[in-house]
Amino acid sequence: MSTVIPYTSEIRPDTGVTNVKLGIWLFLASEVMLFGSLFAGYILLRTGNPEFGAGSEALSVPMATLNTVVLITSSVTMVLAWAAAMERNFAKFKLFMGCTVLAGAVFCVVKAFEYSAKFEHHLYPSHSTFMAIYFTFTGLHALHVVAGMLYNAYLWLPGSKMYHTNPQQFANRVEASGLFWHFVDLVWIFLFPVLYLL
Amino acid sequence: MGESHAHHQEPGFWGRYWFSVDHKVIGIQYSVTALLFLFFGFSLMMLMRWQLAFPGEALPLIGSLMGDSRMPGGIMLPEFYNQLGAMHGTIMVFLGVVPLAVGGFGNFVVPLQIGAPDMAFPRLNMMSYHLYFWGGVVMLASFFVPGGAAQSGWTSYPPLSNIAGSGQTWWVVGMLFLIMSSLLGAINFIVTIVQLRAPGLDFWKLPFFVWAQFVTSFLLLLAFPALQAAGLMQLMDRLAGTSFFMPEGLVVAGEVLANTGGGSPILWQHLFWFLAHPEVYVLILPALGIVGEVVANNTRKPLWGYKLLVYSVLFVGFMSFIVWAHHMFITGMGTMMSAFFQTTTMIISIPSVVILTCLLLSLWGGSIRFNTPMLFALAFLPMFGIGGLTGLPLGLASTDIHLHDTYYVIGHFHYVVAPGTIFALFAGVYYWYPKATGRYLSERLGRLHFWPSFIFMNGIFFPMLIQGMHGVQRRLFDGGEIYAHAQEVLHLNKVMSMSAWGLAIAQIPFIINFFLSLKRGASAPDNAWQATTLEWLAPSPPPHGNFAEVPTVYHAPYEYSVPGRADDFLPQFVPGETPSEA
């Protein structure tokens, strides 16, 4: 019952992209607007409240630094996984994709420790507007990490069957997932200084 | 992946009509659902109009069925009036007009007009519809939660919306569904238009409707996330006790609220209008696209200034992102901000006027066919004109102070959306119905639909402009009865209410026509209107996959009345030279 849609795995010559690649970039554009709106909220709340800046003292910079290192490392392994898929080296792909998924899990575990440390000190989102934006921002970001991790895990395990039937389309999928993963990483690189250091 | 293999698996009922991945089925799903929501939203307003025309009087028959929490003894409670108002706006915009214009017409027509077999991501397309549907279900269900549906207006301004009953939480959750649906749809449309154009169909040969959908999709893609963020924040405020939108020391019913405060109600307004102003253009651009198609087809000549129209639409799309705060002149955001936003607002009116002028000039010298789609398209032009021009005093800060939040505003935007966009959507229904079903809608019933609708629409909305200029505020439960300054114009409430109910009666011929013509309508050939664009090459109704073979495009979209040809139209898919190409 499926109709054959052109340019799902081959590049359209006059636009230079596949459907998936254009689609994921457009999706990222809307994500920029989503996180951008939260940043706009951050700026407005910060400028309107002199005590806002002091809120970051309660956050743990070492944990966030650890998470920054973990995420950046995972971006590197993500690129290597994609390169391996392009080179048609399946074993290498499996290795690096596994590392990427693992790094995502480590990030989430560290985040969970961070959250529970806040809750132990009775720091909930309702504590202050700083805590409100901290939890909303990092919570939304963590949701993105989980989503990216789940899709990467799919490509790593059951989805990798496609490698054997249509390796190019599989590599395209890895690329799209990688673009999303790098975006999630990039958001964190903004969040880290804005929430923890400023 | 053999095509022959595909034909053997006939999908069952659910696969064919509910979980379909065919853009035409999804387009029809969207259209039918959206038409039902339009009717439902209209019904909410008809109830409100009873209260406005006869404040405090019991509504006969229906009133007592509404229950004691809404209309005890048939008399409407103010809380219920507020629910009706908030949900009328929400349903009409987010569940009615946009899903019909973009989800319905966009889905059905765009792939056909660009010669594509389907949308670029068919399963994503199905998911968009299902998210929309369940978002609608959540919105409808909110009427039955304790305290009833959202009642803080369709704009949901905090702090009021933050302290409102649980219906508001349902509203936010429903909106998040609708936003995700729109985002996925927008990505799908842009990729489809960029990637799946048939050979020979470069961007300057795209029908105007496709251009309109293209720009609309960018607006949805980039503006909706702002409301997504704002919705998340409101959800946090309501459920986690945060104070994103809550000022310090807010007193409700004589008691200071417990939350920490330090938030900003204005933040919501900025984020909301950052979506909702581009949303206005999401409402109007597809309508302009439809009118462009119908006008070119029925004047039998090319659209006047096709390139100018396209550039104007692109410019409108861009500008619509930097005019939002003209909704906020009286928030005290400062003269500097007001000056900026009133300047951009005046600038955006220029391409809007250019578009309207191009469409008007397209009529000049045409041998016009006055069929039903054309009647609706022609009525659109002055109605949208009134809607646009009445917006100018609202776009200037000084005149807006007087008119802000009055019925003038209601009259203004309803002229744009109701006799404007909705008339264009009706034009679209009458124009593409033969493509979807293989049969024409009845012209006689069409006229019976058009003329009363045209009269009643003006009967509803023109008096609003008059009342507004007298200073009658919107969202008044009694229609202004207790105000001295409203007394002179109070009688207009009855005129408007009678017109609203008349408008409902005027839709009966349409409903009859819609269903009767499925079986009894005059059968239509593939090219039902002797038109030039690609959708008319496909069979009516088009099969799965649309075209027997990939079409090739040779011409600009509206080569009507080409000199030296026997017939008065040269379709895009027919080879042959036009004077400009020779």
Side-chain angles (χ1 to χ4, degrees):
Chain A
M1 67 171 276
S2 60
T3 317
V4 179
I5 307 289
Y7 311 117
T8 45
S9 52
E10 74 278 26
I11 290 170
R12 180 173 163 129
D14 59 342
T15 62
V17 285
T18 60
N19 297 347
V20 176
K21 197 163 181 182
L22 181 59
I24 193 77
W25 276 110
L26 291 168
F27 178 66
L28 294 185
S30 91
E31 293 277 89
V32 168
M33 297 305 285
L34 172 63
F35 282 100
S37 303
L38 283 172
F39 274 111
Y42 170 88
I43 292 167
L44 212 135
L45 292 175
R46 187 181 177 115
T47 51
N49 186 350
E51 291 146 39
F52 187 91
S56 66
E57 286 162 17
L59 303 184
S60 162
V61 177
M63 274 189 165
T65 313
L66 173 64
N67 257 351
T68 311
V69 174
V70 169
L71 264 198
I72 291 178
T73 312
S74 78
S75 260
V76 175
T77 57
M78 184 81 225
V79 178
L80 292 172
W82 172 64
M86 289 298 280
E87 288 166 10
R88 308 286 187 263
N89 186 340
F90 192 59
K92 214 166 133 193
F93 163 78
K94 281 282 206 182
L95 171 71
F96 285 121
M97 195 53 136
C99 292
T100 313
V101 174
L102 183 72
V106 170
F107 179 90
C108 290
V109 170
V110 174
K111 197 87 242 168
F113 275 111
E114 232 189 302
Y115 274 8
S116 57
K118 299 291 158 300
F119 294 151
E120 273 168 27
H121 292 93
H122 300 286
L123 290 174
Y124 296 105
S126 56
H127 179 263
S128 65
T129 45
F130 178 82
M131 278 296 150
I133 203 131
Y134 163 74
F135 277 106
T136 311
F137 238 146
T138 55
L140 189 65
H141 177 260
L143 270 180
H144 279 75
V145 172
V146 170
M149 206 172 78
L150 285 177
Y151 191 67
N152 279 344
Y154 168 77
L155 291 176
W156 183 39
L157 298 169
S160 65
K161 266 185 285 182
M162 190 189 222
Y163 176 85
H164 306 290
T165 53
N166 191 346
Q168 187 53 47
Q169 190 169 359
F170 182 69
N172 290 345
R173 283 189 177 182
V174 176
E175 188 185 13
S177 181
L179 284 168
F180 178 75
W181 192 253
H182 297 321
F183 173 79
V184 173
D185 191 4
L186 190 66
V187 170
W188 178 257
I189 288 172
F190 277 94
L191 283 186
F192 176 47
V194 164
L195 292 176
Y196 292 81
L197 303 180
L198 280 181
Chain B
M1 290 297 288
E3 274 287 280
S4 56
H5 171 70
H7 284 294
H8 291 301
Q9 316 173 309
E10 273 298 304
F13 173 83
W14 288 97
R16 196 177 318 166
Y17 296 111
W18 191 241
F19 295 106
S20 176
V21 290
D22 183 342
H23 74 99
K24 297 175 296 296
V25 177
I26 296 172
I28 291 168
Q29 285 177 329
Y30 261 116
S31 302
V32 171
T33 318
L35 281 169
L36 289 173
F37 272 119
L38 278 179
F39 189 76
F40 180 72
F42 181 40
S43 307
L44 300 184
M45 190 273 288
M46 285 193 282
L47 279 176
M48 292 165 77
R49 289 280 8 150
W50 171 268
Q51 169 64 20
L52 293 172
F54 308 103
E57 287 178 39
L59 174 63
L61 301 172
I62 315 161
S64 50
L65 300 175
M66 292 289 160
D68 282 348
S69 62
R70 303 184 185 91
M71 299 179 75
I75 298 165
M76 189 179 290
L77 290 174
E79 292 81 4
F80 187 51
Y81 180 86
N82 288 343
Q83 290 174 34
L84 292 175
M87 296 308 284
H88 166 74
T90 305
I91 287 171
M92 287 313 223
V93 172
F94 296 107
L95 289 161
V97 175
V98 173
L100 182 56
V102 181
F105 285 112
N107 249 314
F108 190 89
V109 178
V110 166
L112 285 168
Q113 279 195 332
I114 63 171
D118 206 312
M119 295 285 277
F121 307 113
R123 271 178 299 178
L124 204 64
N125 201 16
M126 176 182 82
M127 208 158 104
S128 301
Y129 173 74
H130 285 252
L131 282 169
Y132 157 65
F133 179 84
W134 289 108
V137 170
V138 170
M139 288 288 185
L140 289 184
S142 74
F143 275 101
F144 302 101
V145 301
Q151 41 187 300
S152 312
W154 81 286
T155 52
S156 286
Y157 279 5
L160 185 62
S161 57
N162 272 3
I163 58 173
S166 59
Q168 182 65 30
T169 305
W170 288 67
W171 186 90
V172 176
V173 172
M175 281 310 298
L176 290 175
F177 272 87
L178 299 175
I179 291 168
M180 282 190 280
S181 157
S182 286
L183 289 178
L184 297 181
I187 292 170
N188 217 340
F189 277 113
I190 297 171
V191 175
T192 304
I193 294 168
V194 172
Q195 291 285 93
L196 302 190
R197 282 168 291 120
L201 185 61
D202 59 53
F203 271 85
W204 286 116
K205 290 195 181 104
L206 286 180
F208 182 54
F209 179 74
V210 177
W211 271 112
Q213 292 284 349
F214 189 60
V215 176
T216 302
S217 298
F218 272 101
L219 301 188
L220 287 173
L221 183 76
L222 300 177
F224 247 137
L227 187 60
Q228 206 177 11
L232 285 174
M233 290 189 209
Q234 190 172 99
L235 214 55
M236 289 291 282
D237 273 5
R238 293 182 57 85
L239 300 180
T242 59
S243 298
F244 282 115
F245 305 126
M246 297 296 263
E248 217 166 318
L250 190 69
V251 178
V252 176
E255 284 183 44
V256 180
L257 289 185
N259 64 44
T260 58
S264 164
I266 301 295
L267 175 59
W268 170 271
Q269 294 194 25
H270 276 298
L271 292 175
F272 179 85
W273 287 115
F274 187 84
L275 153 81
H277 201 83
E279 181 80 7
V280 172
Y281 291 91
V282 170
L283 295 167
I284 199 68
L285 291 181
L288 289 166
I290 294 171
V291 170
E293 298 295 310
V294 174
V295 162
N297 178 254
N298 288 306
T299 53
R300 314 306 293 166
K301 59 196 273 286
L303 275 183
W304 196 90
Y306 168 79
K307 281 201 174 183
L308 192 57
L309 278 166
V310 172
Y311 283 127
S312 300
V313 166
L314 289 170
F315 188 57
V316 163
F318 171 75
M319 287 301 292
S320 73
F321 282 102
I322 44 173
V323 296
W324 79 88
H326 66 211
H327 297 270
M328 300 164 57
F329 284 142
I330 64 164
T331 57
M333 61 184 178
T335 47
M336 189 78 145
M337 291 272 275
S338 296
F340 174 80
F341 281 103
Q342 69 180 350
T343 309
T344 54
T345 305
M346 291 305 116
I347 292 172
I348 202 174
S349 68
I350 298 169
S352 310
V353 171
V354 169
I355 293 170
L356 195 61
T357 311
C358 284
L359 291 171
L360 204 63
L361 284 176
S362 298
L363 304 176
W364 188 266
S367 45
I368 299 177
R369 304 191 300 200
F370 289 97
N371 47 30
T372 314
M374 189 60 171
L375 286 177
F376 276 105
L378 285 175
F380 167 89
L381 299 176
M383 295 295 104
F384 175 61
I386 294 175
L389 292 175
T390 52
L392 291 177
L394 297 171
L396 293 165
S398 51
T399 39
D400 179 63
I401 289 169
H402 175 66
L403 296 168
H404 194 93
D405 258 349
T406 65
Y407 263 97
Y408 182 87
V409 179
I410 312 282
H412 151 68
F413 71 70
H414 276 91
Y415 259 106
V416 176
V417 178
T421 298
I422 291 180
F423 269 18
L425 295 175
F426 276 133
V429 171
Y430 283 91
Y431 184 66
W432 280 304
Y433 188 91
K435 183 46 63 187
T437 65
R439 290 176 190 279
Y440 291 101
L441 284 165
S442 152
E443 280 291 313
R444 189 189 300 255
L445 286 169
R447 264 144 232 265
L448 212 56
H449 175 211
F450 170 73
W451 286 108
S453 294
F454 181 69
I455 293 162
F456 287 131
M457 280 280 191
N458 285 285
I460 302 170
F461 300 118
F462 204 83
M464 287 187 180
L465 299 174
I466 301 169
Q467 277 199 342
M469 283 192 274
H470 275 76
V472 180
Q473 293 286 299
R474 68 193 288 195
R475 292 180 176 147
L476 293 177
F477 161 65
D478 63 356
E481 199 187 27
I482 58 163
Y483 290 99
H485 68 263
Q487 296 307 315
E488 266 180 77
V489 288
L490 218 51
H491 65 278
L492 290 174
N493 275 333
K494 289 198 175 57
V495 176
M496 289 188 272
S497 294
M498 300 293 179
S499 301
W501 302 324
L503 185 64
I505 295 168
Q507 304 315 302
I508 293 172
F510 173 69
I511 296 167
I512 294 174
N513 203 353
F514 193 89
F515 289 105
L516 210 61
S517 301
L518 283 174
K519 291 265 178 260
R520 299 255 194 97
S523 100
D526 289 348
N527 193 347
W529 305 103
Q530 302 81 44
T532 52
T533 43
L534 282 179
E535 75 267 37
W536 305 104
L537 171 66
S540 303
H544 197 60
N546 295 343
F547 301 95
E549 54 190 278
V550 179
T552 305
V553 175
Y554 302 94
H555 309 292
Y558 308 111
E559 293 292 344
Y560 288 104
S561 303
V562 177
R565 283 185 64 91
D567 44 9
D568 69 345
F569 65 110
L570 177 57
Q572 286 189 286
F573 46 84
V574 173
E577 280 193 348
T578 62
S580 56
E581 292 161 358

